[in-house]
Amino acid sequence: MEIKLNFFGAARNVTGSCHYLEANGVRLLVDCGLYQEREFKPRNWADFPVPANTIDAVLLTHAHLDHCGRLPKLVKEGFRGTVYATAATAEIANIIMLDAAHIQEEDVKNKKRRHEKQGKKSPFPYEPLYTMEDAEKVNALFQKVKYRTKVPIGQGVTAEFREAGHVFGSSSIRVEIEKDGETRSVLFSGDVGRWDLPIMRDPDPFEQADYVLVESTYGDRIHEQVASIPGELERIINETHQAGGNVVIPSFALERTQELLFHLNNLLNEDRIPHLLAFVDSPMAVKITEVFKKHPELFDDETMEQVRSGDAPCSFPGLTMSQTVDQSKSINHIKGTAIIIAGSGMCTGGRIKHHLKNNIGRPESTILFVGYQSNGTLGRIILDGAETVRIFGEEHEVKARVERISGFSAHADQNELYQWLSALKPPPRKVFVVHGEESAAAAFGQFISGKTGWTCVVPEYGHETVLD
Ligand SMILES: [Zn+2]
C-alpha cells in the first residue's frame, strides 16, 4: 500500500487549507481554501503544485473561504472533477465564492481607477484572481453527500463525512483506501467545532483512523469561561433601549449572524428584551440564513423541538432581512431603538460602515462586537478605544458605547480538540497537526503526544510524505 500525502496549505499557518492525497491512482484534494494572511496571499496566485486537470476530486469540509476560496481558481486552471460536500456546505460555499469573486472584481476596478487618477501603472495586470463566472462554474461540479454514508470516489477509495459541529453543514472526512485485501484510512478533521453550540449538532468524532490530520487553531489555548451570552445580550440591548439609541452589531454572515438571531428569538420568547425592530442588513447573511431554514435535518434536538412547536429559530416578529440598498437606507430613518446586524464582521467593508457612520457619534447608541477583530481593521481600532475613526474618508468622534461579548467561538479549544481525538481507538499510526500558527500547532502536538504517546508531527508547506 502506498499513499502519498502532501500539504498544499494550512501547514504551519491557519488559512489556505488544501491537502493532497494520492492512492490507487486516484488524486484528490481535501479543501481548496484561500490564503488570507497577508504574508501568504501571493500563494493564491501561484499555479497549483499538481496540474488542476489531473485531480479527480475535491472533498470539501465546510464553506469558510479559507477552505473553499481557491476552488474557482482550480476550475479556471482546468479542474473538471467532482466536488463532494454536504448539501448545506455546497449551497453556502456557492454564496461565499460568488461574494469573494465579486469583491475581487470590484477591488481590481477600484485599483485601476485609483492608479489612473494618480498617474501610476501597476507592473501586474489588472485582473481578479477569478471572476463570478469562474465561481459559478464550481456549482455544477458539486455532488452532495450525506453524513455517515460511505461515498465511492473510485478505485477502492471511499470517503465518509461526519458532523464537525463548526459551522452549518461542516464535516470531518475519513478517506478509506482498499488494495489487495488491505485497508488504510486517513482522517481529515476539517475545523472542529464545540459541544453545545446553538442550532447545530455536536461534533460526531470518528473512532478509528490510521492517520489523522487535525486542526490546531486554538491548540495552545483554553477558551475562557464567560458570562452567559444571552445574559450579556439582554443587558446591552436593555441599556441601549433605555438610552434611546441603536445596537449596531458587526457580524460574520455564516453562523455568527444565525446564532445572534437564535439568541434574540429566545430572549423575546422569555420576555427579557422589548419587542424592537431588528435588521439583518447583509445580502450574504440573508442568503445563508435561507440555507439554514432549508436544512432543518441539521438542527440539534433543542432547535428541532422549537421548530416542532412552530417557532422558527432564525426569525421573529419585527425582524427584517434586508436585501436591497433601499431597505438598507430606510433603516436610518427609524426613530427609537433598532438592532442592526450587518457585515463585514471586522468592519472592513459592507453595509456595517454606513451604520457605524450614522451611530458612532451618538452616545445613546452601542457598537457591539461579537467576533474576533484582527489587527489593523476598523473593528479593532474601535474596540481598542480610539477617540476618532475614519469612515468613508471622514473623521468621526467615537461617542457611542463600545461593548464586546467574547464568549462566541466556533472552534474547539485545546481540551475540546483532545476530546475529539480521544474517540480514536486504537491509536492512530501518526497525527499531522495542521491549520494553526506554527507555535499553536507545535504546542498542540506536544500536548497530544504527552497525553497519549502518539506520534505527532507538524508538517511543512509542500512536504510530501508516503504513508504505508
Ligand atoms: Zn472554518
Side-chain angles (χ1 to χ4, degrees), residues 62 64 67 166 191 411:
H62 66 288
H64 273 148
H67 291 258
H166 166 62
D191 287 2
H411 276 280

Side-chain angles (χ1 to χ4, degrees), residues 150-226:
K150 277 195 184 176
V151 186
I153 310 291
Q155 323 272 7
V157 179
T158 57
E160 182 183 337
F161 289 57
R162 286 197 188 177
E163 175 69 67
H166 166 62
V167 293
F168 210 59
S170 64
S171 312
S172 303
I173 304 171
R174 181 174 62 187
V175 177
E176 273 186 339
I177 301 115
E178 259 188 62
K179 198 183 179 186
D180 306 329
E182 270 197 300
T183 308
R184 291 285 181 278
S185 55
V186 186
L187 170 58
F188 299 85
S189 73
D191 287 2
V192 180
R194 309 181 66 193
W195 279 259
D196 298 323
L197 286 179
I199 309 171
M200 263 183 313
R201 295 177 305 178
D202 290 343
D204 178 13
F206 284 88
E207 299 83 13
Q208 188 279 332
D210 295 311
Y211 300 94
V212 184
L213 280 77
V214 65
E215 69 122 326
S216 58
T217 316
Y218 292 119
D220 59 346
R221 260 174 280 175
I222 309 291
H223 290 316
E224 50 180 312
Q225 284 290 338
V226 288

Side-chain angles (χ1 to χ4, degrees), residues 60 63 85-98 139 142 144 168 287-288 290-295 297-298:
L60 182 60
T86 63
T89 292
E91 288 159 27
I92 298 170
N94 195 38
I95 297 166
I96 286 183
M97 288 185 288
L98 277 172
N139 204 17
F142 275 114
K144 295 175 180 177
F168 210 59
K287 285 189 202 128
I288 292 174
E290 285 306 311
V291 179
F292 273 60
K293 290 180 185 165
K294 220 177 117 187
H295 292 285
E297 76 278 7
L298 299 181

Side-chain angles (χ1 to χ4, degrees), residues 332-348:
N332 295 337
H333 304 299
I334 289 164
K335 297 269 176 288
T337 297
I339 300 167
I340 305 162
I341 301 167
S344 70
M346 298 189 202
C347 313
T348 48

